[in-house]
Amino acid sequence: MGTELKDLAAKAYVYGFPLVFNLDQVRRYVTTGVGANAAAPFNTFSHAAALAGPKDTFVSINNDTVYSMAQLDLTNGPLLLEVPDTDGAYYVLQFVDAWTNNFAYVGKRATGTVAGRYLLTPPGWSGETPSGVTRIAFPTAVASIVGRWACAGETDLPRVRALQQQLTLTPVGEQEPPPGLPSTDPNVPEPLAFWEELRVFLQAYPPAAQDLPLQASFDPLGLLAWGPSPFAETDPDLTAALTAGAQTGHDGLVAALKSGAGDAVVNGWHQPFHIFDYNDDYFEVGTINSPEWRINDRAKAIGLRAAAAMGGLWGNHGYEAAYSPVYLDGDGDELTGERSYTLTFAQAPPVDAFWSITMYDLPEFYLVDNPIDRYSIGDRTPGLVYAEDGSLTITLSAAEPTEPTARANWLPTPAAGFRPLLRMYSPRQEVFDGTYEIPPIVRVG
């Protein structure tokens, strides 16, 4: 029975990891904030005043856009969201439910750049939507708006700030303050804290109907218990199974991320363009509900959902922004700051918005402090030097290059292992059909 329980716990860990990990980050945003985004209570926006840097310790945070974040709790009723006219400039508001499903998008690709009004409604709501307002139905009472404004560096910040100030959330009707995340039993020992959070969150934020039978199978672990926590005083065998299962589940996710299981890999670059396609149930404004952006195999989708949360929480669907990470150079060796590399784009990535490569450390996928404060490089980076044929060669190294062109096109790496990430905003079809190939990272010397 011990092995069976451990295997069940490993399965439950992968199932529940996105819910717990995501809501832990939601709690961070409403209590302490994250880097450039100060803490803000539920149902209000926190606006970053600058592009992200190394102090923004959030997995795979981007350095292309300025963030406007809102953690929402619609328990007490709907909110009215109003967005400004951006005069053609790229932005996206991505809506993420408690389970990390991307269920709506508002922004240049999805809804255009004119001003708009949106009624955000909780599960089970059946009121009237005013004319001229678009309803967005939330799958869970707590969810996030992850807002990104394209920003061409420091000089562009005043324009972005003016837009941020015009982004508003207003409660509809008289409402009590939102209750926020439910509390867990303080008597649960630390090794079982994940399971206690999962138990409480499962009650507050039910999954999609199709996942309920799987969730019911976790009953022997105590996850479906209401009332007093079964984890405050557990049977030693159950404690051992839960602890070992969590470790197995976690190790499996780390291994899946590194291997890119199921990804197409071109010149060392993983192409997980469909890793955020696990939402199979909720398609509000701006989403694409078609077979190529859905995963038929639900077990695979649940595994991908956990890996996506661990490696790139709050990442967009590929049709909004395609992400391509790389761990190995063109020879198949792991990337390390002990060596120098070049990356030559004969042809720029085909996008309708913009592209960039951002440098991250391992294993946290955080931005890396460096002497020139450059964390990403792309088509909007000032001062890049292109060759006569229009190609662009980027130098990746920990040591500062001495040759002038290499210095101008330098993306600093950490001293140890690293993982760059290519982002393509509003990617064209060539990115998905294989017509466009990302070039390999080539070791120098």
Side-chain angles (χ1 to χ4, degrees):
M1 184 62 184
T3 304
E4 282 178 29
L5 266 187
K6 179 197 157 189
D7 291 346
L8 187 65
K11 197 173 178 183
Y13 181 89
V14 171
Y15 173 75
F17 176 83
L19 182 65
V20 174
F21 186 62
N22 176 46
L23 293 178
D24 283 347
Q25 300 305 314
V26 168
R27 187 185 287 110
R28 268 182 86 190
Y29 267 95
V30 297
T31 54
T32 61
V34 178
N37 279 85
F42 277 103
N43 300 345
T44 57
F45 275 102
S46 165
H47 300 298
L51 292 163
K55 291 190 175 113
D56 299 88
T57 52
F58 191 88
V59 59
S60 298
I61 199 164
N62 89 49
N63 181 247
D64 301 312
T65 63
V66 176
Y67 284 93
S68 287
M69 314 290 291
Q71 309 308 330
L72 308 183
D73 182 357
L74 305 184
T75 301
N76 293 336
L79 299 173
L80 180 69
L81 167 71
E82 296 182 89
V83 302
D85 187 331
T86 69
D87 194 26
Y90 179 88
Y91 83 102
V92 60
L93 301 182
Q94 168 198 4
F95 293 72
V96 189
D97 77 1
W99 287 88
T100 72
N101 293 304
N102 295 332
F103 66 92
Y105 293 93
V106 170
K108 183 167 184 176
R109 176 201 59 82
T111 55
T113 62
V114 297
R117 305 171 82 216
Y118 299 87
L119 186 68
L120 316 183
T121 62
W125 185 84
S126 59
E128 289 289 312
T129 303
S131 67
V133 176
T134 302
R135 180 186 171 194
I136 300 178
F138 278 46
T140 52
V142 163
S144 306
I145 295 179
V146 185
R148 302 171 176 91
W149 309 89
C151 180
E154 297 291 317
T155 56
D156 196 27
L157 284 170
R159 177 191 65 83
V160 172
R161 275 195 205 105
L163 292 170
Q164 288 175 319
Q165 299 315 311
Q166 298 172 67
L167 190 63
T168 62
L169 283 167
T170 314
V172 176
E174 287 294 310
Q175 292 185 22
E176 291 291 309
L181 299 177
S183 52
T184 53
D185 187 328
N187 298 313
V188 172
E190 179 56 35
L192 299 182
F194 169 88
W195 299 105
E196 171 65 0
E197 279 195 280
L198 180 55
R199 180 187 75 88
V200 170
F201 292 157
L202 290 179
Q203 294 168 18
Y205 313 111
Q210 65 171 318
D211 292 342
L212 284 169
L214 173 62
Q215 186 166 301
S217 74
F218 302 135
D219 190 31
L221 302 172
L223 287 173
L224 306 189
W226 290 73
S229 174
F231 304 125
E233 292 180 28
T234 55
D235 166 84
D237 289 346
L238 179 58
T239 298
L242 289 170
T243 306
Q247 191 64 53
T248 300
H250 188 272
D251 291 348
L253 289 177
V254 172
L257 273 178
K258 285 204 85 167
S259 71
D263 296 347
V265 181
V266 177
N267 294 326
W269 294 86
H270 292 264
Q271 305 198 333
F273 300 148
H274 296 280
I275 196 171
F276 295 102
D277 294 3
Y278 44 78
N279 173 23
D280 194 41
D281 301 272
Y282 310 109
F283 296 92
E284 297 292 309
V285 62
T287 55
I288 297 177
N289 181 2
S290 64
E292 69 270 28
W293 296 106
R294 297 176 78 156
I295 297 167
N296 283 330
D297 181 339
R298 192 61 191 156
K300 179 185 175 187
I302 285 168
L304 273 177
R305 180 174 71 186
M310 180 180 278
L313 185 67
W314 300 346
N316 291 289
H317 276 99
Y319 50 76
E320 183 68 47
Y323 308 106
S324 193
V326 60
Y327 298 86
L328 307 175
D329 65 21
D331 294 325
D333 295 323
E334 292 205 359
L335 296 169
T336 170
E338 294 169 4
R339 300 173 185 150
S340 295
Y341 306 88
T342 58
L343 172 62
T344 300
F345 287 101
Q347 173 197 352
V351 294
D352 287 326
F354 54 93
W355 67 269
S356 71
I357 292 175
T358 309
M359 181 62 62
Y360 298 99
D361 70 4
L362 291 173
E364 289 91 4
F365 309 125
Y366 292 164
L367 298 177
V368 183
D369 213 354
N370 66 77
I372 60 168
D373 287 334
R374 179 182 279 175
Y375 310 105
S376 65
I377 208 165
D379 56 2
R380 300 169 310 148
T381 305
L384 297 184
V385 178
Y386 291 78
E388 286 184 13
D389 63 1
S391 64
L392 175 66
T393 297
I394 298 167
T395 295
L396 299 89
S397 62
E400 185 168 339
T402 52
E403 196 275 321
T405 298
R407 172 64 178 74
N409 298 353
W410 179 39
L411 181 57
T413 76
F418 61 87
R419 184 209 68 176
L421 181 67
L422 172 65
R423 285 182 172 87
M424 296 169 276
Y425 291 84
S426 295
R428 295 182 189 150
Q429 186 54 35
E430 303 96 280
V431 170
F432 303 117
D433 64 20
T435 312
Y436 176 74
E437 267 196 20
I438 309 169
I441 292 178
V442 178
R443 184 176 169 182
V444 177

